[in-house]
Amino acid sequence: MRIGKIFRETKETKVEVEINLDGGGNSSVETGIGFFNHMLTLFAAHGQFDLNVKCVGDLDVDGHHSVEDIGISLGAAFKSALGDKCGIARYGTFFLPMDESLALVSLDISGRPFLVYEVDKLAPMIGNFDTELVEEFLRAFAFNSGITLHAKIFYGKNSHHKVEAIFKALGHALRIAVSHDEKVQGIPSTKGVL
């Protein structure tokens, strides 16, 4: 089983994350931000990852520190769970329709972190979740997992649908990328390292 566990504590947050890349999509998520709980639960279900997240953060300030630190911790746990990356597919791309919205997430477990984020016209808040934090979470996750990550919304009207489509597509794309490919012997790179 490919499992990663991270405990991270700062003056702003205390975060515990555990992810099993070979799980069945079960999750327990407590971030103090209802909509974000929902997104991480969907991410786990669509990625077929077992995910446990517990965060106590300075939500009296706002959600920024909690969301970013969860992204950092989840990225680090994901990278740890991947281990040596031998035999993985490496790349994953998924288009996801969510009612009137269409999202694309495409990624490379490359060891070269990067984020391209093309999402316009979100409502400022969804419940108690600041929608600017979608990009912050994805950046923190990508840079701490060593993933090149592209996320794009082609169209849509409802902000909830747009964000949900991104998190579901991220789960699917990662599930593809971490899957074992029988044709891949060793590290899936001509460099011999990722």
Side-chain angles (χ1 to χ4, degrees):
M1 296 294 246
R2 297 174 294 171
I3 297 173
K5 298 179 184 180
I6 294 291
F7 176 76
R8 173 184 166 85
E9 186 171 4
T10 71
K11 291 181 179 179
E12 299 163 339
T13 65
K14 184 186 293 184
V15 181
E16 296 176 67
V17 172
E18 180 177 349
I19 188 166
N20 178 354
L21 302 183
D22 303 306
N26 301 306
S27 62
S28 173
V29 180
E30 299 173 32
T31 69
I33 305 169
F35 182 75
F36 192 43
N37 291 348
H38 181 44
M39 294 302 100
L40 291 176
T41 299
L42 292 170
F43 161 78
H46 287 264
Q48 287 294 289
F49 308 130
D50 287 345
L51 178 66
N52 294 309
V53 176
K54 186 174 177 89
C55 177
V56 177
D58 57 354
L59 296 179
D60 56 313
V61 176
D62 68 6
H64 190 285
H65 299 143
S66 292
V67 172
E68 183 176 39
D69 285 2
I70 290 167
I72 290 169
S73 301
L74 181 58
F78 189 89
K79 184 175 183 178
S80 175
L82 275 173
D84 62 12
K85 303 174 189 165
C86 283
I88 64 168
R90 179 178 165 178
Y91 297 95
T93 297
F94 203 85
F95 287 88
L96 195 133
M98 178 72 193
D99 296 345
E100 85 296 340
S101 300
L102 180 65
L104 163 70
V105 170
S106 189
L107 56 88
D108 176 10
I109 302 175
S110 62
R112 297 184 308 277
F114 201 84
L115 175 67
V116 175
Y117 180 77
E118 293 189 9
V119 178
D120 294 325
K121 299 179 183 175
L122 293 175
M125 301 291 291
I126 302 173
N128 63 341
F129 180 80
D130 178 351
T131 58
E132 286 185 345
L133 298 181
V134 177
E135 183 174 4
E136 297 303 319
F137 168 79
L138 293 175
R139 180 178 294 108
F141 175 75
F143 276 73
N144 286 276
S145 59
I147 291 173
T148 298
L149 175 60
H150 294 246
K152 180 178 178 67
I153 295 290
F154 289 95
Y155 46 79
K157 294 181 180 177
N158 184 288
S159 294
H160 186 131
H161 294 165
K162 291 177 185 179
V163 175
E164 184 168 330
I166 290 170
F167 276 85
K168 287 179 175 177
L170 177 62
H172 279 282
L174 285 170
R175 181 168 65 163
I176 293 165
V178 303
S179 66
H180 289 286
D181 185 334
E182 293 178 5
K183 292 184 177 181
V184 175
Q185 300 298 315
I187 302 293
S189 170
T190 55
K191 295 181 175 127
V193 65
L194 287 174

Short mmCIF file of all heavy atoms in Angstrom, two decimals, residues 76 87 90 125-127 147 153 157-159 177:
data_model
loop_
_atom_site.label_atom_id
_atom_site.label_comp_id
_atom_site.label_asym_id
_atom_site.label_seq_id
_atom_site.Cartn_x
_atom_site.Cartn_y
_atom_site.Cartn_z
N ALA A 76 2.80 17.05 0.36
CA ALA A 76 3.92 16.32 0.95
C ALA A 76 3.56 14.87 1.22
O ALA A 76 4.36 13.96 1.00
CB ALA A 76 4.37 17.02 2.23
N GLY A 87 7.13 2.40 -12.18
CA GLY A 87 6.00 1.74 -12.80
C GLY A 87 4.71 2.52 -12.89
O GLY A 87 3.70 2.01 -13.36
N ARG A 90 2.45 8.14 -14.71
CA ARG A 90 3.06 9.45 -14.64
C ARG A 90 2.16 10.59 -15.09
O ARG A 90 2.04 11.59 -14.40
CB ARG A 90 4.37 9.49 -15.43
CG ARG A 90 5.03 10.85 -15.40
CD ARG A 90 6.34 10.90 -16.14
NE ARG A 90 6.75 12.28 -16.39
CZ ARG A 90 7.88 12.62 -16.99
NH1 ARG A 90 8.73 11.68 -17.38
NH2 ARG A 90 8.17 13.89 -17.19
N MET A 125 -17.35 34.25 -2.73
CA MET A 125 -17.48 33.27 -1.66
C MET A 125 -18.46 32.17 -2.08
O MET A 125 -19.44 32.43 -2.75
CB MET A 125 -17.99 33.91 -0.37
CG MET A 125 -17.14 35.02 0.19
SD MET A 125 -15.54 34.47 0.85
CE MET A 125 -16.05 33.54 2.30
N ILE A 126 -18.16 30.93 -1.65
CA ILE A 126 -19.11 29.82 -1.73
C ILE A 126 -19.26 29.33 -0.30
O ILE A 126 -18.32 28.75 0.26
CB ILE A 126 -18.63 28.69 -2.64
CG1 ILE A 126 -18.34 29.21 -4.06
CG2 ILE A 126 -19.66 27.57 -2.69
CD1 ILE A 126 -17.69 28.18 -4.98
N GLY A 127 -20.39 29.60 0.30
CA GLY A 127 -20.53 29.35 1.73
C GLY A 127 -19.52 30.19 2.47
O GLY A 127 -19.44 31.40 2.27
N ILE A 147 4.49 18.16 -8.73
CA ILE A 147 3.63 17.89 -9.89
C ILE A 147 3.50 19.14 -10.75
O ILE A 147 3.31 20.25 -10.24
CB ILE A 147 2.24 17.43 -9.43
CG1 ILE A 147 2.32 16.03 -8.79
CG2 ILE A 147 1.23 17.42 -10.58
CD1 ILE A 147 1.02 15.57 -8.17
N ILE A 153 -11.07 25.99 -16.55
CA ILE A 153 -12.52 25.93 -16.75
C ILE A 153 -12.81 26.52 -18.13
O ILE A 153 -12.45 27.67 -18.41
CB ILE A 153 -13.30 26.73 -15.68
CG1 ILE A 153 -13.11 26.09 -14.30
CG2 ILE A 153 -14.78 26.81 -16.03
CD1 ILE A 153 -13.81 24.76 -14.12
N LYS A 157 -21.42 28.74 -15.47
CA LYS A 157 -22.03 29.90 -14.82
C LYS A 157 -22.00 29.79 -13.30
O LYS A 157 -21.80 30.78 -12.62
CB LYS A 157 -23.48 30.06 -15.29
CG LYS A 157 -23.61 30.40 -16.76
CD LYS A 157 -25.06 30.56 -17.15
CE LYS A 157 -25.20 30.89 -18.63
NZ LYS A 157 -26.61 30.99 -19.05
N ASN A 158 -22.21 28.60 -12.78
CA ASN A 158 -22.35 28.41 -11.34
C ASN A 158 -20.98 28.15 -10.71
O ASN A 158 -20.28 27.19 -11.08
CB ASN A 158 -23.30 27.22 -11.09
CG ASN A 158 -23.57 27.02 -9.64
OD1 ASN A 158 -22.70 26.57 -8.90
ND2 ASN A 158 -24.77 27.34 -9.20
N SER A 159 -20.59 29.00 -9.77
CA SER A 159 -19.26 28.89 -9.17
C SER A 159 -19.07 27.58 -8.42
O SER A 159 -17.98 26.99 -8.45
CB SER A 159 -19.01 30.07 -8.23
OG SER A 159 -18.96 31.27 -8.96
N ALA A 177 -2.65 9.00 -13.23
CA ALA A 177 -1.19 9.19 -13.19
C ALA A 177 -0.48 8.26 -12.22
O ALA A 177 0.65 7.83 -12.48
CB ALA A 177 -0.87 10.64 -12.84
#
